[in-house]
């Protein structure tokens, strides 16, 4: 079952005298429970793609359907409501509120949806324990490590059980151990909760945790890899090889 279906996605910036076309007719679908990586060189359009899929930015042309709702035709008020209920976000820079504790930051999406207090507390307990941050629930963001901040950000993205979670370079600001811890937790949540995740990354190690990796080049899908039954180490090697070929193709055109 498709959670996300994008058809003929175009995104341009500027005006008719100075127009830059970043996305050039992308077709993409993501199934429920998939953990999809999006990779590409700097300037390839991967972050722009994530931004339009997640409704942070608007498409110039094309259709995006998430959980049966056509995003591109929703009015701003309805789009904001849909975003609160159906979408989760994990950003590279955490985007936590410094004046709130870890627990308060995580519970923010549930306070907006008016989830009953008892249910909210139980969801927080389970998720906090799964992500290894329950013990620091009363600390503030300036009192915890980068890895703990990003796991707090991940918990906030998962807490309202959205249709899909968008992650933009979630390991970009983390050291290798914290990055590995986060990716293992995301992979566990993906498996155990059947959570759907779309993650932009430049890091082949991070991408190797995904079930499928889509490679973007010059605003179009260049190729994709499916992990299948192979080990993460084997998938990592395939990703590295594809990156090398992708780099070679780029140099041939320069």
């Amino acid at each position: 079952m498709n959670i996300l279906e994008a058809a003929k996605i175009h995104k341009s910036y500027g005006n008719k005298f100075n127009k830059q076309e970043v996305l050039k007719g992308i077709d993409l679908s993501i199934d429920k429970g998939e953990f999809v990586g999006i990779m590409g060189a700097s300037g390839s359009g991967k972050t722009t793609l994530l931004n339009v899929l997640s409704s942070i930015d608007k498409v110039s042309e094309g259709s995006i359907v998430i959980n049966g709702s056509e995003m591109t035709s929703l009015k701003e008020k309805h789009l904001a409501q849909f975003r609160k209920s159906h979408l989760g976000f994990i950003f590279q820079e955490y985007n936590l509120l410094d004046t709130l504790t870890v627990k308060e930051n995580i519970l923010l999406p549930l306070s907006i949806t008016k989830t009953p207090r008892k249910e909210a507390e139980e969801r927080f307990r389970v998720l906090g324990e799964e992500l290894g941050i329950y013990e620091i629930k009363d600390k503030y963001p300036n009192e915890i490590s980068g890895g703990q901040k990003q796991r707090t950000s991940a918990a906030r993205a998962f807490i309202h059980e959205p249709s899909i979670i968008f992650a933009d370079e979630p390991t970009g600001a983390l050291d290798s151990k914290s990055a590995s811890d986060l990716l293992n937790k995301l992979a566990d949540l993906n498996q155990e909760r059947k959570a759907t995740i779309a993650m932009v990354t430049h890091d082949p190690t991070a991408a190797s945790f995904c079930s499928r990796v889509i490679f973007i080049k010059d605003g179009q899908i260049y190729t994709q890899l499916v992990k299948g039954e192979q080990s993460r180490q084997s998938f990592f090697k395939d990703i590295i090889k594809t990156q090398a070929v992708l780099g070679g193709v780029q140099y041939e055109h320069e």
Side-chain angles (χ1 to χ4, degrees), residues 106-145:
I106 293 169
L107 287 175
L108 261 182
L110 295 187
S111 65
I112 294 167
T113 57
K114 298 183 172 58
T115 301
R117 183 179 176 84
K118 188 175 180 182
E119 181 185 340
E121 290 281 346
E122 179 59 15
R123 281 202 210 178
F124 167 75
R125 183 192 65 76
V126 172
L127 198 51
E129 287 176 354
E130 282 182 282
L131 282 162
I133 51 175
Y134 187 74
E135 298 303 320
I136 59 165
K137 64 182 185 295
D138 297 321
K139 290 186 180 291
Y140 289 87
N142 66 350
E143 299 175 318
I144 61 178
S145 70

Side-chain angles (χ1 to χ4, degrees), residues 11-13 20-24 43-46 48 218-220:
K11 179 62 182 178
S12 301
Y13 293 99
Q20 181 189 11
E21 192 176 20
V22 182
L23 301 179
K24 304 170 183 176
S44 61
K46 62 184 185 296
T48 301
D218 297 334
Q220 297 178 305

